[in-house]
Amino acid sequence: MTLLAPERHERILDRLRRTGTITVQEIARDLKVTKETVRRDLDQLEIAGSLQRVHGGAVASSAPSRRETSLRQRQSEHSAQKRAIAREAFSFVPSSPDASVLLDAGTTTEALADLLGADEAQRHTRFVTTSSVPIAQKLAEVSSLDVEVLGGKVRGITGTVVGAQAVATLARRQADVAFIGTNGVDAGFGLSTPDTAEAAVKSGLVHAARQVVLLADSSKLGQRTLVQFATLEEIDVLITDAAPHPELAHALDEADVRVIVAVTP
């Protein structure tokens, strides 16, 4: 079956996200098209800023370290992968009486919040603290959940509560598990986000839990943004939708991070 250009472009970018680099020859072979077609596709994707052309192929484009997209825009990106990650993450939600959970802001953690709110089998009250206003609104009416939203200033682009009050509150917490989102997961730089205020809150969430579970779709793997908020050694589990590339996989193994690859239906 002949693929249309948008379908080829998506497959090219998906492979690039997984490997970090591609060649014209391997893409032509995988998609069963001519090398000339692949070169045109790569040229178009470079113009769109999706990749960077190099001799014989392409590499991932370097995104500006402070680039952010809105919450609404991110909700439509990689949605199937995020739901698959959330389903895997749900198994790490404690089922014991009076368990406590920290939920970071983000669209993948929000997918987990949807599952938590819809869990009809809940027998005990779970205490949920979140830095996300949208997540707090979703969970506030769930009778089996005791929901706390951190106090502070709300960043409109992400719906995240930030500031000294939020950080101080987290310094006095020790929850059973924290579910964390990120903008980048890098072998050397660790976990990062573009905003310094959000980085401080994310760092507080990481240090306020006995177990830290990172939820990151594969577009975040191998990426680094402006502000580091945790090292790989500070997380216990990474749930993603594709196997990390070799360099990152080795770094995660060295940091003793359990990696779970969620299967997208």
Side-chain angles (χ1 to χ4, degrees), residues 31-187:
L31 300 186
K32 296 180 174 59
V33 295
T34 66
K35 294 179 181 179
E36 290 71 21
T37 297
V38 174
R39 292 189 184 98
R40 285 197 300 270
D41 287 340
L42 296 182
D43 288 341
Q44 291 169 7
L45 288 168
E46 183 177 44
I47 292 171
S50 300
L51 53 76
Q52 181 180 342
R53 291 281 271 120
V54 296
H55 180 70
V59 297
S61 60
S62 299
S65 64
R66 293 209 66 206
R67 186 173 71 185
E68 291 184 273
T69 53
S70 70
L71 183 64
R72 178 174 296 182
Q73 182 178 345
R74 286 185 286 118
Q75 285 173 334
S76 63
E77 297 175 342
H78 314 292
S79 56
Q81 291 89 339
K82 291 173 182 177
R83 289 193 297 270
I85 291 169
R87 286 191 293 270
E88 290 288 347
F90 189 74
S91 65
F92 289 89
V93 176
S95 58
S96 57
D98 302 313
S100 54
V101 173
L102 302 177
L103 279 180
D104 191 9
T107 50
T108 312
T109 49
E110 189 171 343
L112 174 59
D114 290 337
L115 295 179
L116 189 58
D119 181 17
E120 297 179 356
Q122 294 182 90
R123 299 287 189 272
H124 309 287
T125 299
R126 293 182 176 122
F127 189 84
V128 178
T129 298
T130 183
S131 58
S132 166
V133 172
I135 288 177
Q137 290 174 326
K138 283 189 172 187
L139 299 183
E141 296 182 2
V142 180
S143 60
S144 57
L145 299 177
D146 190 358
V147 181
E148 173 191 45
V149 61
L150 297 175
K153 178 182 177 181
V154 179
R155 293 191 74 224
I157 191 170
T158 60
T160 307
V161 178
V162 298
Q165 183 180 346
V167 173
T169 299
L170 289 170
R172 298 190 297 271
R173 296 287 187 271
Q174 186 66 161
D176 296 306
V177 59
F179 296 96
I180 307 297
T182 187
N183 294 78
V185 187
D186 182 77

Side-chain angles (χ1 to χ4, degrees), residues 89 92-94 100-104 109 112 170 173-182 185 191 201-216 229-239 252 255-260:
F92 289 89
V93 176
S100 54
V101 173
L102 302 177
L103 279 180
D104 191 9
T109 49
L112 174 59
L170 289 170
R173 296 287 187 271
Q174 186 66 161
D176 296 306
V177 59
F179 296 96
I180 307 297
T182 187
V185 187
L191 315 185
V201 173
K202 286 178 178 291
S203 181
L205 289 165
V206 167
H207 293 112
R210 297 182 180 90
Q211 183 180 41
V212 179
V213 181
L214 177 66
L215 312 184
F229 66 86
T231 65
L232 296 183
E233 288 77 11
E234 291 176 298
I235 64 174
D236 300 293
V237 181
L238 164 63
I239 306 178
L252 290 164
D256 199 25
V257 178
R258 179 184 175 189
V259 177
I260 297 173

